[in-house]
Amino acid sequence: MGSGVVYREITVKSALTRVQGMPFAWSLNPYMGCERGCVYCYARDYHARRGRDTGAGFDREIDVKINFPELLAHELRRIRKRETVALGTATDPYQQCEGRYRITRRTLEALVASPLPLVIVTKGSMVVRDIDLLVKLDVKVCFSVGTVSAELARASEPHASPPQARLEAVRRLVSAGIDAGVLAAPILPGLSDSEESLDAVAAAAAAHGATFFSTRPLKLDPGVKPHYFAFLAERFPDLLPAAEARFAERVNPERSYVDALEKRARRVRSRYHFKERPFRTPQPAAPSQLRLAI
Ligand code: SF4
């Protein structure tokens, strides 16, 4: 449990959230808010849309959905189509408090009883605790690793597992026969978008047995911008004017930047031999598509 973090135990009325226009049909978020405190976190904007604070209200006040697993078990029994579900689209399901509450673990138990193809997105090495359940699921585990620089990670993702610990978790999962790879996201302009930086992440992913490697550029929604700009102002002031200009009127970087980044990422990916596996359950979703959605 993180120090200075307030945990509120709440009950919710539904567990599965229907998702439109994404490579998965449902999302699951056992917590609301995320104590990782990543400065660029897109989920801060979801808090803004609910009229909640996007700073400490997002990363120091965590809602714990205590009835989530039981509710999910009930909802899963009523689902007929075996569509993909994504766990951790708006919060890290393996943030610190999961060690105590075990809501994610009990969510996986519900999915083992009523299986659906599953994608998990996390920055938490705690996921290895649940290997015994993951081996029973048709699952892809996406470790978000945007940089292998421990220093940059510590500054921008202050309460996440260090990149090396996430990579070790990839190795542990793959060794157990679980499909796991790296989603290098978000890539931060001027900090982690060089070919050298992307290559270092891809090389580390390959060295740890990752089955896939994909990237996603930074996206700054209105509720996220102040936090990201404050981070730049404090840690990388030279990069602030360009970032403010780039994102002044938009949430995504300009097309030419995105195209150049994708080109670089493709070049890097081609140097390694990632062997992405399809879901055992026939599904259109693939981790490379996830970057559009998460
Ligand atoms: S781990 Fe994910 S959900 Fe949590 S703060 Fe970081 S980016 Fe946001």
Side-chain angles (χ1 to χ4, degrees):
M1 306 278 277
S3 67
V5 182
V6 175
Y7 301 95
R8 265 192 310 251
E9 297 183 9
I10 62 165
T11 56
V12 286
K13 294 199 170 86
S14 65
L16 284 162
T17 301
R18 194 65 167 154
V19 178
Q20 302 291 341
M22 301 291 184
F24 43 84
W26 303 97
S27 69
L28 287 172
N29 289 292
Y31 301 97
M32 199 184 299
C34 185
E35 56 193 305
R36 302 287 192 211
C38 305
V39 294
Y40 49 70
C41 179
Y42 56 86
R44 292 182 188 276
D45 202 61
Y46 302 158
H47 256 44
R49 290 180 217 165
R50 291 189 183 99
R52 293 182 59 172
D53 176 58
T54 58
F58 173 77
D59 56 39
R60 303 291 89 187
E61 294 173 18
I62 308 301
D63 288 349
V64 180
K65 302 177 184 177
I66 51 171
N67 64 331
F68 194 86
E70 292 72 24
L71 205 53
L72 176 64
H74 176 70
E75 291 175 358
L76 286 173
R77 282 196 288 273
R78 299 169 60 171
I79 285 192
R80 295 285 164 262
K81 280 208 253 174
R82 299 196 66 205
E83 296 170 307
T84 304
V85 60
L87 171 60
T89 54
T91 186
D92 190 333
Y94 288 100
Q95 59 185 296
Q96 288 90 322
C97 61
E98 168 60 16
R100 169 177 165 193
Y101 286 104
R102 298 167 79 88
I103 310 269
T104 296
R105 181 167 175 85
R106 291 192 287 126
T107 294
L108 295 181
E109 286 169 350
L111 283 160
V112 168
S114 306
L116 290 179
L118 174 67
V119 174
I120 298 175
V121 185
T122 186
K123 285 188 173 80
S125 53
M126 196 195 302
V127 64
V128 301
R129 178 200 65 188
D130 293 337
I131 283 178
D132 60 320
L133 297 172
L134 294 171
V135 292
K136 298 176 185 170
L137 289 163
D138 187 6
V139 62
K140 291 181 186 296
V141 182
C142 299
F143 282 89
S144 167
V145 184
T147 175
V148 292
S149 159
E151 195 184 344
L152 176 57
R154 215 171 17 252
S156 59
E157 308 161 342
H159 304 292
S161 302
Q164 189 54 38
R166 292 175 231 168
L167 291 162
E168 284 304 328
V170 170
R171 190 200 298 283
R172 294 269 305 274
L173 295 191
V174 172
S175 300
I178 296 158
D179 192 7
V182 166
L183 176 67
I187 300 299
L188 308 180
L191 293 172
S192 55
D193 62 349
S194 69
E195 188 149 338
E196 190 186 7
S197 178
L198 295 174
D199 192 272
V201 179
H208 288 78
T211 60
F212 55 86
F213 168 80
S214 60
T215 59
R216 181 174 68 88
L218 177 67
K219 174 176 182 271
L220 288 183
D221 285 298
V224 187
K225 273 183 202 180
H227 305 288
Y228 189 69
F229 290 164
F231 155 74
L232 288 183
E234 187 188 336
R235 307 298 293 254
F236 302 99
D238 292 353
L239 296 178
L240 182 60
E244 285 178 326
R246 169 167 279 145
F247 292 101
E249 305 290 336
R250 54 199 312 152
V251 297
N252 293 299
E254 67 280 11
R255 192 69 247 172
S256 56
Y257 173 86
V258 174
D259 287 347
L261 180 63
E262 283 180 358
K263 210 167 158 187
R264 237 172 287 149
R266 270 200 303 277
R267 230 173 11 242
V268 163
R269 197 180 301 108
S270 70
R271 293 181 199 135
Y272 303 93
H273 300 285
F274 298 104
K275 293 200 182 105
E276 189 171 335
R277 304 179 204 162
F279 279 112
R280 295 196 296 270
T281 314
Q283 281 289 311
S288 56
Q289 293 170 293
L290 274 177
R291 64 205 169 112
L292 300 173
I294 57 178

